[in-house]
Amino acid sequence: MSSQTTNHVFAFEEGDGKDKRLLGGKGANLCEMTQMGLNVPPGFVISTAACLEYLDSPERALPAGLMDAVHAQMRAVEKKTGKGFGDPDNPLLVSVRSGSAMSMPGMMDTILNLGLNEETLQGEIRATGDARFGYDAYRRFIQLFGKVALGVPDAAFDHELDEVKEAAHAKQDVDLSANDLKEVSERFLRVVEAHTGHPFPTDPYRQLEIAIKAVFNSWGGKRAVDYRKQFHITPEMANGTAVNVVTMVFGNRGDDSATGVAFTRNPGSGENKLYGEYLVNAQGEDVVAGIRTPKPISRLRAEMPEMAAQLDILREKLETHYREVQDFEFTIERGQLFCLQTRNGKMNAVAMVRTSVEMEREGLISKEEALLRIQPDLLEQMLFPRLDPTVKAEPVAQGLPASPGAAFGIAVFDADRAEQLGHELSQKVILVREETKPEDIHGFFAAEGILTSRGGKTSHAAVVARGMGKPCVAGAEGISVDVNRREARVGLTSFKEGDVITIDGTSGKVYLGAIPTVEPDFTPELDVLLGWADEMARLKVMANADTPEDARRARKYGAVGIGLARTERMFNDVQRLPIVIEMIVAETPETRQAALDKLLPLQRKDFRDLFEVMAPNPVTIRLLDPPIHEFLPDEHVLERELTDLRVLARTTRGMTVLAGAMGLLHSPDNVRQDVESLRRMVDPAIVEEAIAKKEAMLRKVRALYETNPMLGHRGVRLGITFPEIYQMQIRAILEAAAECTKAGIEVHPQIKVPQVCTAQELRLVKSFVDTIHDEVTETYGQPVNFKFGTMIEVVRACMRAESLAEEAEFFSFGTNDLTQATFSFSREDAENKFLPLYNQSGILQDNPFEVLDVKGVGKLMQLAVDWGRSVKPNLHVGICGEHGGHPASIAFCHQAGLDYVSCSGPRVPVARLAAAHAALNAAR
Ligand code: PEP
Ligand code: MG
């Protein structure tokens, strides 16, 4: 054996349990569990480095000497088990399993019962005295090996199995006799030969070599590649898969044998109680694949009390050692418990939060660890919808509550159709399947939720849906799915593709039709956890909120103020828009002032409402920002309306002439009356007046037209050309604050000016503020506390930060515009034009409108912070662009020395946790 190959193959007793990159998660854990003294079947790991060497080799050859090392390891396993690989008298059988550094459930391949051939099978039957067991193992092996290693489609095997079942009148696989299974194996061997043109390989070492290569190849398979892309698993996180060769233990050796999967705590609720499922007399894949619906683990206590007690001990040992919730597989072979695999449990947000808080209280982990084990983005799940409890509806079926949350959508019966309707046509779809398979993954991405008629809470559908945070109801056995007819029958009724159904993954219920959903509340544990986060974070989290409802929700989520209230949203209200338009089209200062006088009390009330909801926290109000023509009607609509009015004018003129002529000819009273009433209805004077107004509006719209409105007459530019608008807003803010103060409500208004590029602009607006403040002080008999600051969202503002800091008490980075300005990418168009291609081809790693571009935009921000503080050391600095709710961008804001981030209400919990992560990671 060469020293080079020794490094590729590690016995469970010698592998480094911490080296997941080299041994994969499963392999490292098998080594660690063996070294902890847990009952793990003997075996060894072939490293991910061997996989990469194999995949890189031009002819896909295993590294030199690898199979020699494998032989040596197999001899050691033979010694430990007392069995022989290929020995017809006492055969050793192994499983060959994949496992990379990142868990990718069901994405790569596993082969069981390897080592079986006609001779070893007979030996196995003699050793166990159980022909049925032997043939069952054999046919499973032929199918799995045929599918995974030789590429024979499942359907070819399933067809044969169904025929034998039908002939034997067997409903389930367990109803088949030894002879039936012998027949199945013989048919399977013929299937393999027919598909591959070669007999099924019989030499165990040949089988092993083919299997190792198949597992290595599965790393590059479409399923695995798609999965890594979707979950952003980069080569730095996981590169290549390891191969685990493990002695087979059998859960299908009779009624004293079983197999199961369990979580040390409930992955749906976080409850500190063993949670899982098992099947008596079954092999591992039966549970995971959802072929038979398993029993809850609580039943094991009655069925096999001794085994249940041993499972409790195993659970305790796993959690104490890993200090993390474990998801493990076990097998009971004739009363002996084996642990086959463990990994950190994938849980939904509710369970992650609850286990974090409880494990800290149990002394298992520290507060810092409790915070760091939760990815901030996961918290969004806790805001997932549930069914509106006020709506009474009768479920049509009950399945297992496999992944919480509720959703409705049109039923779709295959993954491709789900992708087509869900992604391409943006419809809400529920993917309905008998059971799901890894190749359905694209359907999951496109669906609102998943419903299966078979399988348990740890079936593929359940695990994947939970990972994605999508609702899933599994094993709804009352539903019979007919994929070919694209319909499902439920009792006496049925639903077809396109019919709307609702699923509730929290209760497992299924309904016909759409049931509205409502937002859930915070759990008490989330409050505790976010309380810890606030203690650890330096960045404060504020909210972008324009209405009292938004502000209330943001406050409930823990926002400590409003970092951005966009006042234009207040102008867009249906009742106000006519007044806003009146203000814009005004031809004289007097008429403009008249419109503004109507707006003032409305704005004052808007601000007062926000102050009251947020008191005593700061509320930052941004003066009007968008190009003013955005409030005016569309030019083309106006043109069409004018054409119509002109036609009407001609018609009414014609009517008048006609009415006169008719009067001359006949003067019959009734005709005259008809014409008169028509004339009144379409009074030419009214039509002319309407035309004049529309023409004036069109002139205004054309006068305000800009080729590049986002770079045009907006923000402070508007405030300078129409000072009355900013003055009205400033007055409304200060008067609202004065009213609140008078009413005993503590308020901290902050006035911020958008789109500033020079200190002169700020100085001018500040002069308005000072004058109005003096007037308000006089009127209300007391001064108002306020802060005055600027948005930093154009490049020049960053470059002139020192002089801006002389005028401003705070800077607020508007990174939406700053990103646009830095890249010269239109924020309106880039994302649906060239950006996707830039991201796909790797020209840009991320979408800079989503993930702050630290290297460019971030650099400008850093300069602005440093230069601003060089003039004003206590300059308060925050961010209010969309990046303010994005965890990686928040980490940058922490490093850059910002004081706060401001984001939309539902992102506030995410931002609070991300702010804590930023502080904790920076301190490490
Ligand atoms: C920004 O530009 O980042 C910002 C917050 O302002 P708006 O998105 O309203 O332009
Ligand atoms: Mg902006």
Side-chain angles (χ1 to χ4, degrees):
M1 195 192 319
S2 78
S3 60
Q4 182 204 358
T5 54
T6 313
N7 292 339
H8 285 323
V9 189
F10 301 86
F12 292 162
E13 287 80 1
E14 63 186 11
D16 176 358
K18 301 278 173 282
D19 198 347
K20 292 195 171 152
R21 260 191 86 74
L22 186 69
L23 303 181
K26 194 178 292 167
N29 279 331
L30 283 165
C31 292
E32 187 137 325
M33 288 195 298
T34 303
Q35 292 161 35
M36 276 163 68
L38 298 183
N39 200 17
V40 175
F44 56 92
V45 196
I46 308 171
S47 72
T48 56
C51 171
L52 296 180
E53 210 175 308
Y54 165 80
L55 292 176
D56 281 350
S57 65
E59 281 164 358
R60 291 270 161 114
L62 291 174
L66 184 91
M67 282 311 291
D68 293 340
V70 166
H71 274 258
Q73 288 291 349
M74 283 304 293
R75 280 193 292 277
V77 173
E78 286 176 332
K79 246 191 174 157
K80 284 173 222 164
T81 57
K83 296 180 175 187
F85 194 46
D87 179 352
D89 291 328
N90 186 14
L92 167 67
L93 303 182
V94 293
S95 67
V96 177
R97 294 163 181 267
S98 59
S100 77
M102 299 291 290
S103 157
M104 296 164 58
M107 286 301 120
M108 290 183 296
D109 296 322
T110 289
I111 296 170
L112 304 175
N113 302 327
L114 189 138
L116 276 177
N117 55 31
E118 291 299 330
E119 285 80 42
T120 53
L121 169 64
Q122 295 313 322
E124 188 68 19
I125 292 173
R126 277 194 303 278
T128 59
D130 188 345
R132 191 192 178 284
F133 162 76
Y135 282 110
D136 193 29
Y138 193 34
R139 62 101 185 182
R140 285 167 192 269
F141 169 54
I142 302 165
Q143 175 162 5
L144 261 178
F145 192 90
K147 175 188 166 189
V148 171
L150 305 172
V152 184
D154 256 340
F157 295 109
D158 291 344
H159 174 72
E160 300 294 329
L161 180 64
D162 288 345
E163 275 194 6
V164 176
K165 271 162 95 173
E166 209 175 307
H169 304 293
K171 265 195 179 157
Q172 295 192 331
D173 296 6
V174 283
D175 302 330
L176 292 170
S177 68
N179 256 338
D180 298 331
L181 290 166
K182 182 168 185 274
E183 161 90 20
V184 173
S185 341
E186 283 161 2
R187 284 176 176 236
F188 279 11
L189 287 173
R190 287 199 293 273
V191 166
V192 171
E193 187 155 356
H195 271 81
T196 62
H198 299 287
F200 191 84
T202 52
D203 173 39
Y205 274 105
R206 175 98 191 96
Q207 291 174 353
L208 186 53
E209 184 172 343
I210 296 174
I212 292 168
K213 287 181 177 173
V215 173
F216 282 167
N217 285 331
S218 70
W219 176 256
K222 179 171 168 10
R223 250 191 297 154
V225 170
D226 283 354
Y227 189 94
R228 294 201 291 275
K229 207 183 262 171
Q230 177 69 25
F231 290 98
H232 305 293
I233 299 177
T234 61
E236 288 69 41
M237 294 152 83
N239 208 0
T241 177
V243 177
N244 302 286
V245 180
V246 192
T247 304
M248 284 297 302
V249 285
F250 295 96
N252 54 345
R253 280 221 163 156
D255 289 343
D256 58 351
S257 301
T259 187
V261 291
F263 283 77
T264 52
R265 300 182 193 222
N266 185 316
S269 68
E271 190 188 5
N272 186 3
K273 199 168 153 197
L274 188 65
Y275 170 96
E277 293 165 327
Y278 71 103
L279 278 171
V280 172
N281 198 11
Q283 210 162 3
E285 294 306 296
D286 295 347
V287 180
V288 180
I291 291 166
R292 278 163 59 190
T293 302
K295 302 176 189 176
I297 214 106
S298 50
R299 292 270 290 279
L300 193 71
R301 294 195 194 282
E303 247 181 336
M304 298 183 190
E306 166 61 17
M307 289 297 109
Q310 280 197 33
L311 263 186
D312 285 338
I313 297 170
L314 175 60
R315 165 181 182 243
E316 181 78 25
K317 281 188 179 164
L318 285 171
E319 271 209 353
T320 324
H321 181 83
Y322 287 101
R323 300 165 68 240
E324 180 54 274
V325 175
Q326 295 296 296
D327 162 5
F328 64 100
E329 282 181 19
F330 63 91
T331 286
I332 298 167
E333 182 180 298
R334 300 217 154 139
Q336 201 186 351
L337 174 69
F338 292 91
C339 188
L340 301 186
Q341 177 188 324
T342 191
R343 60 183 175 211
N344 290 347
K346 276 193 185 215
M347 286 174 277
N348 65 15
V350 171
M352 279 303 279
V353 169
R354 176 164 171 186
T355 51
S356 259
V357 171
E358 292 188 353
M359 291 199 299
E360 192 276 341
R361 286 182 178 150
E362 291 157 25
L364 211 54
I365 55 176
S366 66
K367 278 185 187 166
E368 288 80 355
E369 287 168 324
L371 290 165
L372 285 172
R373 72 190 271 278
I374 303 176
Q375 288 308 311
D377 273 328
L378 191 69
L379 295 188
E380 269 218 330
Q381 274 185 25
M382 295 192 74
L383 313 171
F384 271 3
R386 60 196 161 91
L387 292 184
D388 183 343
T390 62
V391 176
K392 295 277 165 272
E394 268 307 296
V396 289
Q398 172 76 57
L400 299 168
S403 180
F408 60 83
I410 56 174
V412 171
F413 293 86
D414 72 79
D416 290 344
R417 191 90 178 115
E419 185 173 50
Q420 191 189 25
L421 293 175
H423 271 164
E424 293 166 22
L425 301 177
S426 303
Q427 301 213 32
K428 284 182 190 300
V429 305
I430 304 286
L431 178 61
V432 184
R433 305 281 288 158
E434 201 155 54
E435 64 201 81
T436 62
K437 297 203 167 158
E439 45 267 41
D440 290 333
I441 193 85
H442 55 298
F444 279 64
F445 294 136
E448 303 294 310
I450 291 90
L451 167 63
T452 68
S453 60
R454 296 214 301 221
K457 281 193 231 166
T458 40
S459 63
H460 174 262
V463 170
V464 175
R466 263 204 305 277
M468 292 183 178
K470 296 201 173 188
C472 174
V473 173
E477 291 183 343
I479 299 179
S480 107
V481 176
D482 187 337
V483 180
N484 294 328
R485 300 178 63 174
R486 295 175 181 273
E487 72 170 28
R489 273 185 307 285
V490 209
L492 296 176
T493 157
S494 66
F495 58 88
K496 303 186 295 299
E497 180 175 296
D499 290 346
V500 175
I501 59 169
T502 301
I503 60 166
D504 182 358
T506 315
S507 68
K509 293 188 166 56
V510 181
Y511 305 82
L512 296 184
I515 300 179
T517 51
V518 291
E519 284 190 21
D521 284 321
F522 264 28
T523 62
E525 287 87 3
L526 183 58
D527 268 336
V528 172
L529 188 94
L530 290 177
W532 297 343
D534 295 344
E535 281 167 27
M536 312 273 170
R538 199 208 61 239
L539 285 169
K540 299 276 176 261
V541 179
M542 314 246 269
N544 294 352
D546 315 323
T547 63
E549 298 78 63
D550 282 357
R552 223 167 272 125
R553 189 171 55 169
R555 184 156 198 176
K556 187 174 99 189
Y557 292 159
V560 292
I562 293 179
L564 170 65
R566 291 177 163 103
T567 49
E568 53 272 19
R569 302 258 167 99
M570 302 165 184
F571 279 24
N572 267 326
D573 175 291
V574 269
Q575 277 151 17
R576 297 172 188 197
L577 205 53
I579 313 175
V580 174
I581 293 173
E582 209 180 302
M583 167 190 85
I584 297 168
V585 298
E587 299 287 352
T588 62
E590 293 74 29
T591 45
R592 170 156 303 126
Q593 194 55 51
L596 286 165
D597 288 347
K598 287 187 218 162
L599 281 174
L600 175 71
L602 300 173
Q603 285 261 275
R604 191 166 54 219
K605 163 107 177 42
D606 292 333
F607 300 141
R608 183 169 171 166
D609 287 347
L610 286 182
F611 292 153
E612 285 182 359
V613 172
M614 269 294 156
N617 294 304
V619 174
T620 315
I621 292 162
R622 182 178 72 185
L623 302 178
L624 196 66
D625 182 25
I628 208 153
H629 71 80
E630 278 191 10
F631 299 105
L632 296 183
D634 181 82
E635 183 182 357
H636 302 297
V637 173
L638 278 173
E639 281 167 349
R640 266 200 309 277
E641 287 174 353
L642 257 175
T643 312
D644 291 347
L645 279 173
R646 284 181 184 133
V647 170
L648 186 62
R650 273 201 299 280
T651 317
T652 32
R653 275 197 295 274
M655 299 278 278
T656 316
V657 175
L658 182 67
M662 287 176 107
L664 275 180
L665 281 176
H666 309 293
S667 321
D669 279 356
N670 54 348
V671 172
R672 191 162 35 237
Q673 263 169 19
D674 284 353
V675 173
E676 278 309 311
S677 60
L678 254 177
R679 226 190 233 161
R680 268 198 305 279
M681 271 164 58
V682 200
D683 184 340
I686 294 177
V687 178
E688 293 305 335
E689 193 186 325
I691 289 175
K693 271 195 182 155
K694 290 271 178 228
E695 281 173 343
M697 180 71 82
L698 189 59
R699 273 197 304 279
K700 196 78 190 175
V701 167
R702 286 183 178 148
L704 290 173
Y705 169 81
E706 290 175 296
T707 311
N708 260 325
M710 289 302 274
L711 302 180
H713 196 180
R714 60 177 289 210
V716 69
R717 275 96 79 179
L718 197 71
I720 288 171
T721 48
F722 296 100
E724 312 86 347
I725 301 177
Y726 270 26
Q727 285 159 354
M728 178 278 288
Q729 290 197 302
I730 293 163
R731 184 175 299 281
I733 295 168
L734 295 176
E735 288 185 355
E739 282 181 3
C740 287
T741 313
K742 270 213 136 120
I745 302 162
E746 185 181 339
V747 287
H748 294 280
Q750 311 207 1
I751 300 171
K752 80 172 159 183
V753 190
Q755 298 292 329
V756 168
C757 65
T758 161
Q760 278 82 345
E761 290 167 329
L762 264 190
R763 236 170 265 140
L764 189 61
V765 180
K766 183 71 191 342
S767 72
F768 303 160
V769 174
D770 289 340
T771 311
I772 295 167
H773 183 246
D774 287 347
E775 289 167 15
V776 172
T777 306
E778 171 104 20
T779 315
Y780 287 80
Q782 61 190 68
V784 174
N785 268 327
F786 71 94
K787 283 200 161 65
F788 178 78
T790 180
M791 297 278 288
I792 302 279
E793 50 189 345
V794 309
V795 176
R796 195 175 190 279
C798 298
M799 296 295 108
R800 300 294 298 145
E802 284 155 292
S803 67
L804 294 184
E806 283 173 8
E807 308 304 323
E809 288 163 280
F810 64 88
F811 282 179
S812 173
F813 286 105
T815 43
N816 303 332
D817 276 311
L818 190 56
T819 300
Q820 168 171 268
T822 308
F823 281 84
S824 282
F825 286 177
S826 158
R827 59 188 270 198
E828 312 293 313
D829 299 320
E831 283 170 296
N832 53 27
K833 292 284 190 303
F834 54 86
L835 256 184
L837 179 67
Y838 265 46
N839 291 145
Q840 273 157 26
S841 60
I843 295 176
L844 279 179
Q845 205 70 43
D846 298 301
N847 170 358
F849 292 103
E850 234 170 63
V851 182
L852 189 81
D853 161 52
V854 168
K855 290 182 182 154
V857 179
K859 197 159 189 174
L860 284 169
M861 289 169 71
Q862 187 71 70
L863 290 175
V865 173
D866 295 346
W867 287 340
R869 292 217 174 113
S870 71
V871 172
K872 195 172 270 175
N874 59 354
L875 184 76
H876 204 64
V877 186
I879 179 175
C880 65
E882 294 312 302
H883 309 89
H886 178 261
S889 314
I890 292 172
F892 168 76
C893 292
H894 175 94
Q895 283 158 21
L898 268 59
D899 298 295
Y900 72 92
V901 297
S902 187
C903 57
S904 66
R907 292 299 292 182
V908 166
V910 175
R912 287 167 73 191
L913 184 56
H917 277 208
L920 292 170
N921 287 330
R924 288 215 283 195

